[in-house]
Amino acid sequence: MFKKIIVANWKMNPSSREEAAKLFDEVVKAAGLFPNVEVVISPPAVFLPEFKKTLGDKPEVKLGAQDVFWEKKGAFTGQISPLMLTDLGVSYVIIGHSEKRVLGESSEEINKKIKAAFEVGLKPILCVGEPAIVRKRGVKASEKYVENQLTADLKGVADYAIIIAYEPIWAIGAGAPEEPTSAVEMASFIKKVLNAKLKDRIPKVLYGGSVDGVNVKNFLKYKELDGALVGGASLDSKEFGKLLNKTSEL
Ligand code: PGA
């Protein structure tokens, strides 16, 4: 049975190991109550070794990273190798988040990161989504923008199962999400575009942008949406537990 996927993107939070360990413990407990939901926790990379130890052999949650470099080892100051992540038991990696794109990450780099992740067996979660200025021009303009991102980011990637997180940039951290029906339309569009590009597999599409325990069901009740990428609400274990509970009811 396919499980809905909930990915917690902690971004650059929290700022201490103590807070991180506490939040992680609480989240693992909550996730243990809902085995029909695939829960992925993506903390800052520095917390991953400790979390891996906490989880041991029976992970209630899967570990994710927020970025990866495309080379496996060598003189690349500040980068994290895909092999380092798999060695830590990391299963997923977020790639191309708008908060990285705005700092200068290019489609060429994203494309190399996706290929490197697949090569070592990491599951990439590719983030796409239009800025407000494009959205104002309408649905067709937004679709074209997202299609261009998919074409550039997935150049030469043909046969793999990919997870796409559709995150309209204006809805991220805004407290006000996209209309669920518009997110569903975009998810269908993304699947249509990718079905034509990728040969064997059916891509999964998550929605991201101000998802919380109250609104998650409004999105995930649609079969077109395979899960959610959650920022702010994943930093509050009670809210996140509620979000998992609501998702498990679907
Ligand atoms: P948000 O962030 O849930 O705080 O809007 C989502 C994301 O950026 O992945």
Side-chain angles (χ1 to χ4, degrees), residues 9 11 97 99 167 171-174 208-211 229-233:
N9 176 12
K11 309 191 178 185
H97 194 282
E99 288 158 10
E167 301 203 301
I172 295 175
S210 299
V211 176
L229 181 50
V230 185

Side-chain angles (χ1 to χ4, degrees), residues 8-228:
N9 176 12
W10 287 10
K11 309 191 178 185
M12 201 173 70
N13 298 294
S15 48
S16 74
R17 277 190 301 159
E18 287 71 17
E19 289 169 279
K22 183 170 177 285
L23 177 59
F24 188 69
D25 284 348
E26 291 169 359
V27 165
V28 170
K29 260 190 215 112
L33 301 174
F34 309 110
N36 63 338
V37 182
E38 171 93 342
V39 183
V40 182
I41 306 296
S42 303
V46 290
F47 299 134
L48 286 168
E50 207 163 307
F51 290 1
K52 170 67 184 156
K53 241 189 258 163
T54 310
L55 283 178
D57 289 340
K58 285 205 201 105
E60 285 89 349
V61 306
K62 301 276 174 24
L63 292 175
Q66 296 177 13
D67 190 20
V68 66
F69 195 56
W70 54 82
E71 295 289 348
K72 293 197 178 76
K73 65 176 193 173
F76 303 104
T77 303
Q79 306 295 349
I80 296 177
S81 145
L83 289 179
M84 294 171 185
L85 295 178
T86 51
D87 185 51
L88 277 173
V90 170
S91 316
Y92 292 85
V93 57
I94 296 169
I95 296 176
H97 194 282
S98 59
E99 288 158 10
K100 287 199 62 76
R101 291 183 194 252
V102 81
L103 291 175
E105 187 174 56
S106 69
S107 284
E108 289 76 33
E109 290 170 332
I110 290 168
N111 182 252
K112 284 197 270 187
K113 289 177 179 187
I114 287 172
K115 287 174 179 163
F118 275 131
E119 214 178 291
V120 300
L122 285 168
K123 295 177 187 156
I125 300 166
L126 169 64
C127 300
V128 297
E130 79 286 356
I133 187 166
V134 172
R135 187 45 175 272
K136 282 199 189 96
R137 298 209 299 267
V139 173
K140 281 276 161 266
S142 303
E143 287 181 350
K144 191 73 212 147
Y145 187 93
V146 168
E147 184 172 6
N148 287 344
Q149 283 184 317
L150 292 170
T151 303
D153 298 347
L154 295 175
K155 197 170 166 209
V157 175
D159 295 323
Y160 300 106
I162 183 98
I163 301 171
I164 306 294
Y166 168 58
E167 301 203 301
I169 295 174
W170 43 271
I172 295 175
E178 165 69 291
E179 281 298 322
T181 48
S182 304
V184 168
E185 270 172 38
M186 186 60 97
S188 302
F189 175 76
I190 290 170
K191 287 184 181 187
K192 197 180 81 195
V193 168
L194 290 185
N195 280 332
K197 281 191 208 302
L198 308 176
K199 288 174 200 112
D200 296 333
R201 315 282 185 92
I202 301 160
K204 295 191 171 63
V205 179
L206 318 181
Y207 167 74
S210 299
V211 176
D212 60 25
V214 174
N215 63 31
V216 66
K217 261 183 142 172
N218 300 342
F219 289 93
L220 300 196
K221 68 181 182 193
Y222 294 99
K223 66 173 183 351
E224 289 83 352
L225 292 171
D226 302 291

